[in-house]
Amino acid sequence: TVLKISSVDGSTTIGCDDDRGPGLFSSWGCCLPAGDYCVTVRDFGDNSTIPSYTVGFQGLGACTPSNPPVCPVSGSGCPF
């Protein structure tokens, strides 16, 4: 999978990952200010359907987000 986090209108990529999670699945973490974001998930080759996918968000304590929000972009499937 490839996971991309972008601005709510999708025009600005904030972060992207294609292989940090278990089994080369995507996993992404970053300090973001409160707000609305767009999360997009696709398969790495962009040639098949992902039948189900769960996205979870959790607070990990205090952090200071960058302005504008910029987070890691890694993997050959990023950005898309």
Side-chain angles (χ1 to χ4, degrees):
T1 57
V2 182
L3 175 66
K4 180 174 82 169
I5 310 296
S6 57
S7 57
V8 73
D9 65 0
S11 65
T12 303
T13 297
I14 296 169
C16 182
D17 179 74
D18 71 2
D19 60 4
R20 277 194 228 174
L24 298 179
F25 285 97
S26 52
S27 178
W28 184 84
C30 188
C31 178
L32 293 173
D36 295 324
Y37 300 92
C38 179
V39 177
T40 306
V41 179
R42 68 170 179 86
D43 80 300
F44 181 81
D46 200 21
N47 58 5
S48 63
T49 300
I50 299 171
S52 85
Y53 197 86
T54 301
V55 176
F57 295 90
Q58 59 184 326
L60 298 176
C63 67
T64 304
S66 60
N67 185 12
V70 176
C71 300
V73 174
S74 67
S76 60
C78 293
F80 65 89

